[in-house]
Amino acid sequence: MKLLAKALQKAAAAADTLTGKKFSLLVASSLVATTGIVAVGASSSSGLSPMTAAAVQALVEEEGAVIASAPAPAPEYTPSSSPEGAAGPVAGGDTCAGCSASPPAPPAEEEKPEPKAPVVPPEEETGPASPVQHVFLISLASPGYEAAFGTSSQMPYLSGELRPQGALLSNYSLLETTPLPNGIATISGQPPNPATKENCGSYKDFASPSANSSGIVAGEGCIYPVETLTVADQLVGSRLRWHGYFEGMADPEGKPDSCVQPEPEAADVPNANGYTSRLNPFVFFHSLLDLGDCNENDVPLDELAGDLKKADTTANLSYISPNLCNAGFHGTCQEGATEGAAAADAFLAKVVPEILSSAAYKQDGLLIVSFGASDPAPADPAVTPPADPRKVGGLLVSPLLSPGATDAAAYNPYSLLRSIEDLFGLDPLGKAGGAKVKSFATAFTAGNGGD
């Protein structure tokens, strides 16, 4: 019953967030996708997903269904020649063989019980609420931990200006050096597979997807089945908002467009602006593709500045990715342009001040500077000892944190997802729910500034 109550509440919450565009997309969606979402969402331990709620809402509105309890009809009375009190009510309560010819007067109008609407119990308390309500996550390519945060840093804005304002995650490590598996793990808790490790050279579905009790999908593939949820699904189901902002995202004609992905079975080829789907993990989930969430919330980076103007137009989770060049990937910039760590640092110096000056950040914000891939500058092995390219570090900046702190706990992309879920009171997805996965959300819920 508790799971059902939670599912009903989440369904109601998601239905309240539907816009006209999303609702029309829902109605126009494939029957297979909708039924799959409803069936899996209803049996999921994390409750109904936003798509499930939308499907249920569509069915309710179509049928005009109203659930309410009403008083039972009063029994009918018929005159009888039997001796008074000789017989009791007939089974079913429809007639009364032994009652007097005159039925009792009906109760006064004010005494009639009013129909009662169903009451959905509130969700169980899961602990203290986080003061953080706006998270900004910037994903870059790492030049290596020392090149980012060391004494000879190649990123002076990150290490010299931002680092003193925030808390350094000195032991944050990647799962893989390529961007796609880390991005997918960050938003869904799904582990790398052979296809995602190679950045999915072909944009295709899993051949025969199967998930275990934790929702982890086995096998090899790129586009996850509709029942595999992301933190974006969770946020919408909790009446919260998300946005992905991607630099250079455009349609084949070069016009800014949302939720851009390759054609089915096609290769992922960066466009002329340096946008590539390997930096956009949201386009790899049917839960977001099939019912319009991706089209509505996965947008070009140019829209960020307008959304930051007011707190109520700023999403609760903003996932921000520059193009290949500005993310810090070598060999992706125009000839003569700054590349590598310097390009990534310049991107931060341009975008971060806009975030830090926004009303949402000042009110209850958290900026996460995260490295979602590793791309160090070529080094001379005879001079520079090889470093672990997966150890990249990270930085948390927030008016709710003590500046200059260092957190040396072992974190990874699953920890990043778990921390975001904890901040918003969401259940952990996939491997983010592992017993050994650490969360830095305690720095906020416990009211401290790190270790």
Side-chain angles (χ1 to χ4, degrees):
M1 292 300 292
K2 291 181 180 179
L3 289 176
L4 178 59
K6 291 177 117 179
L8 287 172
Q9 187 182 49
K10 289 184 179 179
D16 284 349
T17 68
L18 288 175
T19 65
K21 178 181 177 183
K22 286 183 67 178
F23 187 78
S24 62
L25 284 167
L26 165 71
V27 175
S29 308
S30 72
L31 178 61
V32 173
T34 304
T35 4
I37 295 168
V38 172
V40 174
S43 60
S44 169
S45 61
S46 60
L48 294 176
S49 75
M51 286 63 61
T52 307
V56 172
Q57 180 76 357
L59 292 174
V60 169
E61 291 187 2
E62 182 179 343
E63 297 299 330
V66 177
I67 303 173
S69 60
E76 297 178 4
Y77 291 88
T78 57
S80 171
S81 57
S82 303
E84 185 177 350
V90 176
D94 291 331
T95 59
C96 185
C99 296
S100 62
S102 300
E109 184 66 26
E110 62 273 15
E111 296 179 2
K112 289 182 179 181
E114 292 292 333
K116 296 180 179 179
V119 177
V120 179
E123 288 207 40
E124 298 176 30
E125 292 294 331
T126 57
S130 161
V132 174
Q133 290 301 301
H134 294 91
V135 174
F136 306 88
L137 190 159
I138 300 178
S139 181
L140 305 170
S142 172
Y145 181 81
E146 288 300 321
F149 298 106
T151 54
S152 301
S153 172
Q154 300 170 20
M155 303 182 73
Y157 178 77
L158 173 64
S159 62
E161 294 191 41
L162 277 185
R163 165 68 181 95
Q165 300 179 49
L168 175 66
L169 305 181
S170 61
N171 200 16
Y172 183 91
S173 298
L174 300 173
L175 302 173
E176 301 289 337
T177 57
T178 49
L180 186 55
N182 296 298
I184 285 175
T186 297
I187 69 167
S188 72
Q190 294 296 322
N193 68 57
T196 60
K197 288 179 182 179
E198 299 298 324
N199 286 326
C200 283
S202 177
Y203 187 71
K204 60 184 180 181
D205 290 306
F206 279 73
S208 300
S210 62
N212 64 15
S213 58
S214 298
I216 298 172
V217 180
E220 179 177 352
C222 296
I223 313 173
Y224 286 80
V226 70
E227 60 267 25
T228 304
L229 301 184
T230 68
V231 66
D233 299 304
Q234 292 181 300
L235 288 167
V236 175
S238 296
R239 300 181 183 178
L240 300 173
R241 293 175 297 145
W242 71 278
H243 261 64
Y245 298 95
F246 300 92
E247 187 178 26
M249 187 161 62
D251 65 17
E253 297 179 355
K255 299 178 181 178
D257 198 8
S258 62
C259 192
V260 174
Q261 78 255 198
E263 293 294 326
E265 305 291 331
D268 172 31
V269 179
N271 67 14
N273 302 320
Y275 167 78
T276 170
S277 61
R278 73 191 67 169
L279 302 182
N280 185 353
F282 300 101
V283 302
F284 290 88
F285 291 87
H286 277 294
S287 67
L288 301 175
L289 294 170
D290 291 6
L291 296 178
D293 254 90
C294 186
N295 282 326
E296 184 170 337
N297 298 307
D298 193 275
V299 299
L301 178 64
D302 295 341
E303 296 190 17
L304 176 62
D307 292 343
L308 289 175
K309 289 182 178 179
K310 296 180 181 179
D312 59 5
T313 59
T314 304
N316 299 98
L317 173 63
S318 298
Y319 185 108
I320 302 163
S321 173
N323 62 23
L324 286 167
C325 175
N326 290 332
F329 290 95
H330 288 85
T332 61
C333 301
Q334 294 181 355
E335 186 176 354
T338 301
E339 67 171 7
D345 200 53
F347 177 83
L348 289 176
K350 178 178 182 294
V351 173
V352 168
E354 296 177 4
I355 295 173
L356 299 188
S357 62
S358 69
Y361 173 82
K362 292 178 179 179
Q363 178 178 295
D364 47 29
L366 166 64
L367 168 66
I368 305 172
V369 178
S370 169
F371 292 105
S374 179
D375 193 345
D380 183 352
V383 178
T384 306
D388 181 0
R390 298 187 188 188
K391 181 182 178 182
V392 295
L395 187 66
L396 310 178
V397 183
S398 172
L400 304 169
L401 279 178
S402 299
T406 298
D407 186 343
Y411 295 117
N412 60 25
Y414 302 135
S415 306
L416 189 51
L417 172 60
R418 175 67 171 270
S419 301
I420 294 171
E421 289 171 321
D422 286 350
L423 289 172
F424 290 115
L426 307 172
D427 295 331
L429 293 172
K431 284 188 171 290
K436 295 183 179 180
V437 175
K438 297 184 180 297
S439 169
F440 54 72
T442 55
F444 299 90
T445 57
N448 60 63
D451 297 337

